[in-house]
Amino acid sequence: MNTFKAVTGQPMDRVDGVAKVTGQARYAGEYPEQGLLYGSVVSSTIASGRVVQIDTDEALSVPGVLLVLDHRNRPRLSSYDDDYSDADSAEGSPFRPLYNDRVLYSGQPLALVVAQTQEIARYAGSLVHIRYEEDAHQTDLGAALDASHEAPAETPEPRGDFAQGYAESATQVDVTYTTPVEHHNPMEPHASTVFYRPDGSLEIHDKTQGTQNCQDYLHKIFDVPKDKIRILAAFVGGAFGSGLRPQYQLPLAVMAALTLKRSVRVTLTRQQMFTFGYRPRTSQRLRLGADGEGRLLAIGHDAIGQTSRFEDFTEHLVEWSGMLYRCDNVALSYRLVPLDVYTPLDMRAPGAASGVIALEGALDELACAAGIDPVALRRINFADSNGNEGKPYSSKALLECYDQGAERFGWSKRNPVPRSMREGKELVGWGMAGGVWEAMQMKASAKASIDASGKLTVSSATTDIGTGTYTVMTQIAADAVGVLPSDVTFLLGDSSLPTAPLQGGSFTVSSVGSAVRQACLILRTQILEALRKSHPDVADVPVERVRFGDGHVLVEDRRFSIAEVVAGCEGAALQAQVDAEPSAKRSSFSTATHSAVFVEVRVDEALGTVRVSRVVSAVAAGRVINPKTARSQLLGGVVWGLGMALQEETLTDHGLGRFMNHSLAEYHVPVHADIGDIDAFFVEEHDDVVNELGSKGVGEIGIVGVAAAVSNAVYHATGKRVRDFPITLDKLL
Ligand code: MOS
């Protein structure tokens, strides 16, 4: 029997690639309209206190300025904290823009100038004069560690007896790693274009990872009916978590539109991209103890993170230390220090990217102290169940990651002695680390319909933040119905489409992909039913002898065009909608993605400069829907991990309580010249538990472990252990 070639598993080009590279793809701040107004945000210059006076006369006298909004004249808002919550809120009272005269952090929006052009608005913003009554502030986590309190999120209960296991260990490591504040810095700054329609409804193009999250948020804070708010996000120029919560430009643009009954756009400047969420600074103490063979007898991970005074931001910072390796005596703790700053926000592999730095750095230190090869040490302590949950992993091809990664890297040729691999004036170092991320699945809905020309349209309110969602959903849909990908249109980024979760956590393929597949499989059943009705001669052929593909139904040796079958149906179309639940098989398993990262660094001994010449990243993430877009996610993660290791750090002037290097000139990220050879690949991993696609998601795992691997390589090269990230040259000299 003829079989059709599946498009899932193929490295298909992005379906939106041409639109993007030719500039036809429009981003939130690019939608035009005659008479559109522009808002510019005026930000606070103090970190804590009260606004005593806002003088807007001079700004209002600029020709072309229509309005200056501040806390005194903004439209009516909901008065309760809870109404400002959203699907990714932290515990506490969400920030309420222009709510009152309180200044809670430096960079807080205090006024919005609305004018006929962006330039006029921005200029007039410089003429808004604000007088403050300043309070003392604290923005320095390092100086305020005593003020920490228990994080409200659960951390796993201690198991076994850490103190005893640690005391009995032949080798002990007790080290503290610190990581800095980092900012997401997507290429596309946050922007909202609010089209005000004559009936008072709002059609909003927003930079977001959750169209329906923004719709709910606006509905609650402005008391505008949901059916009068439509949020669109056709294209998103990177987000990495920065678009998980509605950002303040959105309510500000809506305030202006509702006040003026006009369409308004508010775009944040690059500097203002540093005035909301970020990856929080952390301080993490790791205590590891092992017996003479390197078996872990005790793991202690005590972390402190920063948060704002109004919300308790938590992330999974220490969980990884209780689940990646087998150990009976584990104690994890996590505390928060509230500071006069904005609330942190999930940022690519939130918690794991920074927590695993400490765990995998400490493990390298244990390997050195015990005289065991770092890969061997990890193999000895491999866990096939998650100790935090007491459940087996649905799959965990981490040993294959170690093997294949080490093989490709040439790890067996490593001389374990630090400073032993010099080449000319460069010290060469080889280091490695493991990585882990959750493989989650959320509820999601999708709709599929097919018409008489055989064109399949599938939709869900999810977004595509650059990850390739349009493309992989097209592939999943094409295979599930049996049509060519060129006959599939996938619609997303629209709050009016079937319900989808935020795009985050690496769970979009798992969640939305499963819904898409289910809706398309129902369509396939409907097509077969229609065929059996129109062709009684094939009605009795059992479904096992029917194939779908290339736009055709193959019944034994007879071929029928799907388009013709649909054309014969009532209404000449078929459609199906599904609300998909997380797979029932998941409940008795733990599900996660894993990686092994190998890094070569070259350190100039005289200058302290570190160059990463090679990276090998082996990843186990279940079935890969699109090897091309999935590998792109890994590459992006690896590059970002190099930035975490060596460059990225948002510096605060604690005297002023504000970020200083708030621009891409001074906030350093890796550029092409910083990137050496990256070999990122997937090992085979079969998993029929995680979800019906067997696919675990790849958005986050690429970054996890990279910074630790660099750090471990730097130690191997130099003999110097830098535990304060990023590893800048001053720390190596
Ligand atoms: Mo990602 S931090 O889950 O957007």
Side-chain angles (χ1 to χ4, degrees), residues 108-282:
Q108 174 179 323
L110 294 180
L112 182 77
V113 180
V114 185
Q116 282 160 358
T117 70
Q118 177 71 48
E119 292 73 20
I120 294 171
R122 196 164 169 182
Y123 168 66
S126 73
L127 305 176
V128 172
H129 304 291
I130 301 177
R131 214 153 53 73
Y132 302 95
E133 196 175 273
E134 231 178 310
D135 293 335
H137 64 259
Q138 178 56 276
T139 54
D140 187 356
L141 176 73
L145 292 176
D146 296 346
S148 74
H149 64 77
E150 210 67 51
E154 277 176 44
T155 45
E157 289 293 308
R159 58 179 191 262
D161 187 336
F162 168 79
Q164 195 185 333
Y166 190 68
E168 287 171 359
S169 293
T171 313
Q172 296 174 339
V173 160
D174 181 352
V175 287
T176 298
Y177 281 78
T178 55
T179 64
V181 167
E182 294 162 9
H183 277 81
H184 305 75
N185 278 306
M187 287 298 285
E188 179 202 17
H190 279 254
S192 303
T193 301
V194 179
F195 290 140
Y196 185 89
R197 299 303 181 211
D199 66 350
S201 67
L202 306 171
E203 192 178 298
I204 303 172
H205 296 275
D206 187 50
K207 182 209 177 79
T208 180
Q209 292 171 249
T211 54
Q212 290 161 335
N213 188 31
C214 292
Q215 181 190 33
D216 289 346
Y217 176 81
L218 293 175
H219 160 64
K220 287 192 296 180
I221 67 175
F222 291 106
D223 200 20
V224 175
K226 268 201 202 181
D227 60 11
K228 292 208 156 183
I229 305 168
R230 185 177 178 193
I231 309 284
L232 299 157
F235 297 99
V236 177
F240 319 117
S242 67
L244 287 171
R245 301 186 70 177
Q247 292 310 344
Y248 65 74
Q249 89 288 339
L250 175 65
L252 292 185
V254 170
M255 275 182 205
L258 292 176
T259 303
L260 294 166
K261 301 194 188 320
R262 296 271 305 267
S263 295
V264 179
R265 168 179 305 153
V266 177
T267 305
L268 299 188
T269 62
R270 179 56 62 181
Q271 293 198 340
Q272 286 168 340
M273 290 298 288
F274 290 76
T275 60
F276 52 93
Y278 52 88
R279 197 192 294 283
R281 187 175 163 190
T282 71

Side-chain angles (χ1 to χ4, degrees), residues 209 240-242 244 346-350 437 465 503-506 700:
Q209 292 171 249
F240 319 117
S242 67
L244 287 171
D346 291 331
M347 181 160 136
R348 201 167 191 170
W437 182 250
I465 55 176
Q503 181 170 41
S506 301
E700 335 258 350

Side-chain angles (χ1 to χ4, degrees), residues 185-187 270-271 274 661-669:
N185 278 306
M187 287 298 285
R270 179 56 62 181
Q271 293 198 340
F274 290 76
N661 53 335
H662 52 175
S663 73
L664 289 181
E666 293 176 85
Y667 182 92
H668 291 174
V669 299

Side-chain angles (χ1 to χ4, degrees), residues 389-412:
E389 298 180 345
K391 291 178 184 177
Y393 285 106
S394 60
S395 62
K396 184 174 176 179
L398 179 56
L399 296 173
E400 291 79 354
C401 292
Y402 295 145
D403 287 348
Q404 294 175 35
E407 171 69 28
R408 288 207 195 194
F409 187 82
W411 185 259
S412 62

Side-chain angles (χ1 to χ4, degrees), residues 284 301 317 320 324 351-361 433-436 704-705 708:
Q284 305 175 58
H301 190 165
L317 199 55
W320 321 104
L324 189 50
S354 27
V356 169
I357 283 181
L359 172 64
E360 290 295 290
V436 54
V704 186

Side-chain angles (χ1 to χ4, degrees), residues 338-407:
L339 300 170
D340 297 297
V341 295
Y342 193 80
T343 311
L345 180 57
D346 291 331
M347 181 160 136
R348 201 167 191 170
S354 27
V356 169
I357 283 181
L359 172 64
E360 290 295 290
L363 214 70
D364 197 69
E365 301 199 45
L366 184 71
C368 292
I372 300 175
D373 173 77
V375 179
L377 179 68
R378 286 166 175 83
R379 295 187 64 99
I380 291 167
N381 291 290
F382 178 83
D384 51 18
S385 68
N386 177 344
N388 291 339
E389 298 180 345
K391 291 178 184 177
Y393 285 106
S394 60
S395 62
K396 184 174 176 179
L398 179 56
L399 296 173
E400 291 79 354
C401 292
Y402 295 145
D403 287 348
Q404 294 175 35
E407 171 69 28

Side-chain angles (χ1 to χ4, degrees), residues 602-661:
R602 289 165 180 272
V603 182
D604 185 307
E605 204 178 3
L607 300 176
T609 48
V610 179
R611 198 158 58 81
V612 178
S613 39
R614 286 196 299 135
V615 180
V616 173
S617 173
V619 173
R623 192 159 75 94
V624 177
I625 305 290
N626 183 327
K628 190 173 186 180
T629 53
R631 181 170 169 275
S632 286
Q633 288 300 298
L634 298 188
L635 291 178
V638 169
V639 170
W640 200 338
L642 302 183
M644 278 191 93
L646 302 172
Q647 298 173 308
E648 291 200 40
E649 174 173 32
T650 316
L651 294 157
T652 304
D653 179 325
H654 295 298
L656 295 169
R658 68 193 310 197
F659 295 129
M660 299 309 289
N661 53 335

